[in-house]
Amino acid sequence: MVLLTVVGLVYLTSLVSARLPDGRLHGNMAPMPLPPKGIAPNVSATGPDGATLEPFDTTYNFTQLIDHNNPSLGTFSQRYWFSYEYYKPGGPIVLTTPGEAPADGYTFFLTNETITGTLAQQQNGATVLIEHRFYGESNPYGNLSIASLQVHTIQQAIDDLVYFANNVKLPMPGGGNVTPSEAPWILVGGSYAGALTSFTLVNQPDVFYAGWASSAVVESIVDYWGYWEPIRVFMPQNCSKDVEAVIDHIDTTFTSGTSTEIDTIKTLFKMNLSHLDDFAGALRNNLFDWQSLQPYGGPGQQFFQFCDALEVKDNVSAPAAGWGLEHALNAWGSYWANTYLSEICGDLDAESCMGTYNASAYTDISVDNSDRSWQWIVCNYMGFLQDGAPAGQPTIVSRLIGPGYTERMCTYYFPEQFTSPPTPDAAGTNKAYDGWFVNVDRLFFANGLSDPWREATVSANGTNFKSTSTQPIALGDAFHTSDMIMENGAVDATVAAVQAQGLAAMKAWLADWKPHAQR
């Protein structure tokens, strides 16, 4: 049985202060788009021939090019993990990466507790988990300086996957004879790694025979206020209404209220921060907890504890319209000050935990610093700045938080790269890799209706892309990358339907595969 350790969130930052109790380096940073974490047990599976295999946590190393545009720069060691528990000759190689995190926390993707292992089991395939460049211990250089990060691009990550597939000799019998011309390779990814799956099939269409892209954030968006829309729509409506009321009140007070009125709110939440946008941004934490929801988690998950704190009074739940501003403001303040703040910050004071204006705190360039590596992609290529909705739209997040709030931090992380707050080149990324308008063969998209990242997927509101036999789009009722975890299908019929549709598509497509020599 796999030990599934779903981490609530992994966050953007490279501050050098001590990590917070939830694993973050700073309490006012947005979550990365990541699938749930899970570690396979430290046991050995049995191969198809009855042989005992290496334990799931056995680490292998592949010699990867530092720069695919200039191989003369040399190579680096890229970590991967591997299992051929279900493999039979002729079966597919199922390759996945978690994307923007150390991959050793995701070894359960080798097993049939996940869609990758289940797909391998169904098709007599092998599973491979590879670590993305500049995460964990897979670093082209010994630091994350701006000079080193020049080869940290989406295209280099695509080229890594292609070079690996074409050159790796997998540690199994016949493992040197399973290149994409000799065996079908299937690329699987969730969230950013799901987008990377789509990008790779667009950019290198003749390498991976098929792809499974879960909650794939294919459309890069700078001003990503749409992150909050699925949360606002699908959270308990009494909670949504009261959160909107509180946020509107705080925005009004912070922009036109007296100093006494502002201090009253700060005191209520026990957050006497120097900058009002840091205060407003900190309240997003309760809503960020939505991203970690999964169907198997049940009603006791952190987000629902927050809504219960606002909406349950004397054992009675509020009506759909909520209890109203007065109760909601005081209930949120009490829950935040007496319960939630210490869970986030531990023993740190509010300024140390939530403040973002200390530019000298963003200077850690040591390796295995996922926050800095991901922020480089955010600031340069993708955006996804999770801010308040524009005027005229309902919002559960303060409008004091705009794109500039995060763009300012780009200049702190990378001062030599950005002398002023940059606008990420989302348009260039979408043009290069087709974004929402991807149209390739044998690419399965799996999305969740309640996923806060849905507005960056092909299931975004208003897109109306058609599901086809060669590029199916399946939409369940669940959350972020829910289809990747088989346990979710056991408790949610809509997730089970998505998983079944994807597995059926892969089976049909693989039935038509032929080695290049036979084409």
Side-chain angles (χ1 to χ4, degrees), residues 373-411:
S373 296
W374 176 241
Q375 190 76 355
W376 179 262
I377 297 297
V378 166
C379 295
N380 281 287
Y381 306 114
M382 301 191 84
F384 296 135
L385 312 182
Q386 291 124 296
D387 47 23
Q393 296 282 345
T395 188
I396 55 175
V397 165
S398 171
R399 292 189 175 92
L400 295 179
I401 305 301
Y405 184 75
T406 301
E407 290 168 348
R408 165 178 55 83
M409 296 180 214
C410 294
T411 67

Side-chain angles (χ1 to χ4, degrees), residues 242-243 246-247 249-250 254 261-273 279-280 282-284 286 306 310 325-342 345 350 354:
D242 278 342
V243 168
V246 171
I247 292 301
H249 172 72
I250 289 175
F254 282 4
E261 290 169 332
I262 292 170
D263 287 344
T264 297
I265 292 175
K266 288 183 176 182
T267 300
L268 178 63
F269 284 81
K270 291 185 180 177
M271 278 205 303
N272 186 23
L273 297 176
F279 184 105
L283 298 183
R284 293 176 299 170
N286 293 123
F306 161 66
L310 269 61
L325 173 61
E326 182 178 359
H327 173 81
L329 177 63
N330 284 285
W332 194 347
S334 177
Y335 175 72
W336 181 276
N338 299 319
T339 300
Y340 195 76
L341 185 59
S342 63
C345 298
M354 298 292 180

Side-chain angles (χ1 to χ4, degrees), residues 55 87 115 147 151 170 172 233 250 282 285 295 340 353 419 435 442 458 470:
Y87 182 76
I115 200 64
V151 291
L170 294 173
M172 68 176 183
V233 171
I250 289 175
N285 279 281
Y340 195 76
C353 179
T419 57
R442 298 181 299 277
V458 294
T470 57

